[in-house]
Structures are given as structure tokens and as C-alpha cells.
Amino acid sequence: MKNYCSYKDLYVALKSNKTSCVQQTTLYLKKIKKQKNLNAFIEVFEKTALETSKKVDEKIKKGTQGKLAGMVVAIKDNICYKGHKISASSKILEGFESIYSATVIEKLLKEDAIIIGRLNCDEFAMGSANENSIYGPVLNPHNKRKVAGGSSGGSAVAVAAGLCLVALGSDTGGSIRQPASFCGVVGLKPTYSRVSRHGLIAYASSFDQIGPLTNNIDDAGLVLEVISGKDDFDSTVSNSPIGSYNEYNYKNTPKKIAYIEETLSHKLLNKEVKEMFLKKIKSLEKKGHVISPISFPYLDYLVPTYYVLTTAEASSNLSRYDGVRYGYRSEASSDLQDMYFRTRTEGFGEEVKRRIMLGTFVLSAGYNDEYFTKAQKIRRLIYDKTIQIFNDFDFLISPTSPHTAFDVGVKYNDPIKMYLEDVFTVQANLSGNPAVSIPIGLDSKNLPVGIHIMSNHFNEYNLLYFSKKLSNQ
Ligand code: GLN
């Protein structure tokens, strides 16, 4: 008995009785136990996963199963699943249990997916290495001395190590795509407003999107089809229907592809990653696509703009954790004010506190115009310029990360270095465009390298089908 690496193969096996959902789930449960040292799972939902598996097996027998019947999915620990614990890898949510399910979870369950557990991540999704977690770092299965990437490190590792078929992550500045790149899996950030954020623990609400991490592009497309769409609980979600992934009419014509010239001369870009990226460009040209270098004057402004705006939003979003309504409360306090103070001091980790303070500062009277309002204006310029690129080109490509996975601990005490990890991924969040990271091979140290492809808003299927051609899947 084996676990299948694509939903297509799994579906055939389930329909022809070669395997069952219970068997698939049981096998994953065993593997999760065996690979505990990777630290990907915070909690396994063994009981509910097996119960759902049994029910879905019955449905398959009757032929009444949903689109994702038997797909075993693990979820980042910032997505609510009713009756199950959730912590955003933070002490401040210790013991908290979701009282409702996120819309994405409702949609997955409706199509008979099986939710197997919750995954380690950076605290409140803040980080690029999955080291800011109360549960400790997640280790990269390609080399356990290396980080998994972040903040959805647990999601990338769970898929890469075969501990589930699909994982959900969230992406505010690269948190799906960068760990996907470090672990050699596919990671898709949908267009902002494509997928409901209802039931996602907010980090920066005008940036956050939920998306899939998968072994292959088709699985990402299939999951996107199910989780996207209008939601009464999130008024920012677009009404425009996404349609069927399998029936999408992809036009296999030569594409116009741009890359930002300054990306290739960026001082952080590793030589081998650059070479592999250039090789990919050559092979695209050989296939008849037209690749053009373009100039993007705001490259150096992307990371600062992102960190001013996201910390501002985070400082507001995280004000709700006060010891009254959720999870942890300090016992040692003398009065209400002191209780707030101690709860937040003890409950939040260093990085989260740093961002709350930074965000409060950039929003404060006297500095608001200088930082927050200015960053909003720069975001607009970045947005306009990005839209302009897609008036002329089908896709914008770059390496996903300037380098491959780095050693655990090396950047932990240097926040600026850690923030610069996001240099190639934050543009898509600032402008709301969809973007995907797909693996393009291993470097000389046997670590995965990812390529980053971005497209126009609401153009995910085109993006995914093109990515398939690019990776020869
Ligand atoms: N690394 C980025 C940050 O720390 C991205 C996080 C994310 O996308 N959630 O903010």
C-alpha cells in the first residue's frame, strides 16, 4: 500500500478499489509519527480524520462523492476548523478552540476532503524561516540542518515529506511561495480577493490570502477551484466565478514574458540560483516564447513598503488578544491594565512584539503621514506599475528566493536580513496579483530551487497551465 502523489492517481485508485480513504489516512498517520522530528505537525486530528475517511469511503461506494473525495489535507495553524484547537503557533492562543470553520475548510469538507491535522508555522504568520514558533523550527526534509522557509514551513514540509497530499498555507508576503521553493513543492498565492479570508487568523488583512501547497500543479488548480468564490462572511471576496480547472481552455501559444532586470543584478542573488534561472529563460526562448528584460524602478521600495503597511495592519489586528477573549491570560496581574500588559508581554513572541511596536509607531500621530500614508502612496505606484507590466506581458518571472534554504539559526537574530528574504515575493501581495512558485531542480548541495511566476489578476488557470508547460509536468 502506498500514498498517491497526485489527486488524479488517487482518484483512479479509489474508484477501482485499489485503495480506500481509511487506508490512505492510516498510512499518512503512520508516516506523520515516523517523521515527527521534522516538527511539521502541531496536532494530528486522528479521530476526525478517520471518521471522515469512513464516511467518504461509503460515498465513493455509492458514487455520491465530492470533487476532492479522499484528498488528505493538512492545514496551517492559522485556519479555523470547528471543534479543533488553533494557535497561530503562539502562546497567546494556548488552549483556544475554533468555534466555527473557515470558509475554505467548509468548502473542502463539502467536496469530501479529509483534514488530517494542523501544521507548524511562524507565529501569526510572521517570518521567513518558520523559526518564530512556540513549537520550535520546522526542519527541511532535504537537509535537516536547513530551515523549511516560512511562514507556512509546516505546510511545505508536510507535502514534501509525503505526510499529506495537499496542505493549505497563507501568504501575506511570500509565506506560501518561499517555503514551497525551499522544500521543492508547488505553492500558489491566488489573486487577492479570490479566496475568502473568513476563519483565517488575520495578520495583514489587505495582503493575506489562503492558498494550496501541492506536489504538482494540477492539484493546486483543483484545490483553488474548490476554495475560491463568493462568501457572505468576507465582503472583499470577488463575485467573479473561477470556473472548472480541468475544463479550462488554455491557449498553447507563444507567450510574452518579462523579468525585472534589476532582479538579476541584485546583490543578494546567489550565483547558482541565477544560473538555473537563466537556463530556464533559455529553454523558454527555445520553445518560442519571447522573454524581455524590463526595468522596475521600485524594487528597493518593495520590502520597506510591505513592512510599514503589514506591521500597521498587524498592530491593529492583534489588539484583540488581550487576555479576555482568547486563549492565554497571565495569572499574576493586580488589575485590568496590568492583566493586559502581562498577558501580551508573556503571550507574544519577540518578532510579533517587534511588529506590533513598529506598526503602532508608523500609525502614531506625528508619524502617520511620514510612514503609513507615504507607504500607502508607494503601494499605489507599485500597483499601477505592476498593472502596466501585464498590459504588455502575459507573465512576470523571477527566482522565488534569492537563494536556497539556509541553516537553522543563522538569520534568527537579524530581523533585517530575515525581512530581505521577501524581496522577490512581496510585489504580488502589494499589487494583489496571483503568483506561483514551482520547483525547477536542485542546486549542487541538493537543495531545491524555485521559479516564481506572476500573472494578471484573476488569471490563475492561465498561470497554472503555463507553469505546467514550463516545468514539463
Ligand atoms: N516573510 C514575510 C513576513 O515575515 C511573509 C509572511 C507571510 O507571507 N505571512 O512578513
Side-chain angles (χ1 to χ4, degrees):
M1 187 58 54
K2 60 165 187 175
N3 283 132
Y4 292 81
C5 289
S6 76
Y7 185 67
K8 207 168 141 204
D9 292 346
L10 171 66
Y11 181 76
V12 173
L14 285 169
K15 284 303 272 182
S16 57
N17 255 327
K18 280 208 184 77
T19 187
S20 70
C21 298
V22 171
Q23 280 174 344
Q24 287 296 306
T25 303
T26 310
L27 205 53
Y28 281 126
L29 290 169
K30 268 194 201 138
K31 283 203 233 165
I32 294 169
K33 273 196 194 120
K34 228 172 148 187
Q35 301 263 47
K36 228 179 152 133
N37 63 339
L38 293 172
N39 205 18
F41 276 81
I42 293 171
E43 188 185 351
V44 181
F45 304 146
E46 182 162 344
K47 191 166 159 274
T48 43
L50 283 170
E51 277 167 14
T52 315
S53 303
K54 264 187 216 141
K55 280 187 199 144
V56 180
D57 277 334
E58 287 303 314
K59 282 192 177 181
I60 292 172
K61 258 190 219 148
K62 287 193 225 139
T64 58
Q65 77 281 4
K67 272 184 209 164
L68 303 182
M71 179 185 273
V72 173
V73 182
I75 57 175
K76 187 174 178 178
D77 190 33
N78 62 354
I79 300 172
C80 294
Y81 181 16
K82 188 176 174 175
H84 295 79
K85 288 212 172 80
I86 181 165
S87 77
S89 290
S90 181
K91 180 174 173 178
I92 210 152
L93 276 169
E94 207 170 61
F96 181 73
E97 199 176 288
S98 299
I99 53 171
Y100 60 85
S101 286
T103 299
V104 291
I105 298 296
E106 297 281 7
K107 286 180 183 263
L108 288 178
L109 291 173
K110 197 166 158 249
E111 295 299 339
D112 293 326
I114 295 152
I115 314 285
I116 196 165
R118 59 185 170 116
L119 299 162
N120 203 342
C121 59
D122 280 299
E123 186 177 0
F124 286 100
M126 297 175 185
S128 303
N130 211 136
E131 293 176 304
N132 304 328
S133 163
I134 195 181
Y135 306 103
V138 180
L139 307 183
N140 194 312
H142 290 268
N143 177 340
K144 292 191 185 115
R145 284 199 321 274
K146 306 283 176 187
V147 298
S151 64
S152 313
S155 307
V157 169
V159 174
L163 310 181
C164 58
L165 183 56
V166 168
L168 287 187
S170 67
D171 193 310
T172 307
S175 276
I176 289 176
R177 293 160 285 152
Q178 185 252 25
S181 169
F182 279 12
C183 297
V185 299
V186 173
L188 170 70
K189 180 201 89 74
T191 308
Y192 181 81
S193 89
R194 180 62 102 181
V195 177
S196 168
R197 289 175 292 110
H198 176 64
L200 169 70
I201 293 181
Y203 159 18
S205 312
S206 77
F207 294 75
D208 300 339
Q209 270 294 284
I210 296 172
L213 293 99
T214 55
N215 294 305
N216 59 72
I217 292 159
D218 284 344
D219 284 356
L222 203 58
V223 171
L224 180 70
E225 175 185 332
V226 168
I227 63 174
S228 58
K230 194 175 163 307
D231 181 16
D232 291 343
F233 294 111
D234 178 357
S235 60
T236 63
V237 179
S238 161
N239 285 341
S240 79
I242 191 160
S244 156
Y245 174 74
N246 285 329
E247 285 159 25
Y248 181 71
N249 182 17
Y250 177 71
K251 296 197 180 56
N252 195 13
T253 50
K255 303 288 184 234
K256 283 167 79 179
I257 300 159
Y259 67 88
I260 295 173
E261 214 167 3
E262 293 89 338
T263 310
L264 289 186
S265 52
H266 202 279
K267 57 181 185 303
L268 292 176
L269 184 62
N270 167 279
K271 213 171 131 242
E272 255 188 278
V273 172
K274 181 175 173 175
E275 275 163 17
M276 286 174 75
F277 179 72
L278 288 172
K279 231 170 108 188
K280 210 68 204 173
I281 289 188
K282 286 236 165 68
S283 82
L284 285 170
E285 274 171 343
K286 261 198 198 140
K287 285 183 189 157
H289 302 293
V290 181
I291 324 279
S292 316
I294 57 162
S295 180
F296 185 75
Y298 307 119
L299 196 64
D300 288 341
Y301 295 93
L302 294 173
V303 170
T305 308
Y306 168 82
Y307 276 94
V308 169
L309 295 177
T310 53
T311 54
E313 292 189 24
S315 76
S316 164
N317 274 328
L318 271 59
S319 64
R320 74 191 70 180
Y321 305 106
D322 55 6
V324 178
R325 287 169 290 182
Y326 307 94
Y328 177 74
R329 174 186 296 180
S330 172
E331 294 298 334
S333 37
S334 53
D335 58 31
L336 184 65
Q337 196 66 30
D338 190 43
M339 192 278 285
Y340 291 153
F341 180 79
R342 284 178 194 267
T343 298
R344 289 170 67 85
T345 305
E346 294 161 21
F348 287 131
E350 287 302 301
E351 181 58 29
V352 174
K353 281 191 264 198
R354 183 180 293 121
R355 294 195 192 196
I356 292 173
M357 286 190 279
L358 195 60
T360 309
F361 172 75
V362 300
L363 286 172
S364 59
Y367 291 100
N368 198 304
D369 281 353
E370 224 168 305
Y371 290 96
F372 183 70
T373 310
K374 197 183 247 174
Q376 291 280 44
K377 289 180 184 166
I378 301 172
R379 184 179 195 182
R380 182 72 206 194
L381 294 175
I382 292 165
Y383 177 89
D384 288 345
K385 185 76 195 167
T386 307
I387 296 285
Q388 221 181 46
I389 294 174
F390 292 113
N391 285 339
D392 299 329
F393 296 95
D394 298 302
F395 303 107
L396 179 66
I397 56 172
S398 70
T400 306
S401 165
H403 43 70
T404 51
F406 47 88
D407 285 345
V408 174
V410 288
K411 296 191 185 184
Y412 184 65
N413 290 318
D414 192 338
I416 300 292
K417 261 198 190 144
M418 202 62 108
Y419 296 169
L420 284 169
E421 276 300 297
D422 308 325
V423 58
F424 299 148
T425 50
V426 290
Q427 184 185 358
N429 304 80
L430 283 157
S431 64
N433 289 69
V436 66
S437 176
I438 59 167
I440 54 166
L442 302 173
D443 72 356
S444 56
K445 293 188 199 105
N446 275 327
L447 291 170
V449 175
I451 192 167
H452 187 262
I453 314 151
M454 198 166 137
S455 81
N456 214 347
H457 291 107
F458 299 107
N459 223 345
E460 288 92 347
Y461 287 170
N462 202 26
L463 173 67
L464 291 174
Y465 275 92
F466 171 71
S467 303
K468 238 168 99 166
K469 298 275 174 215
L470 187 150
S471 70
N472 302 322
Q473 262 190 37

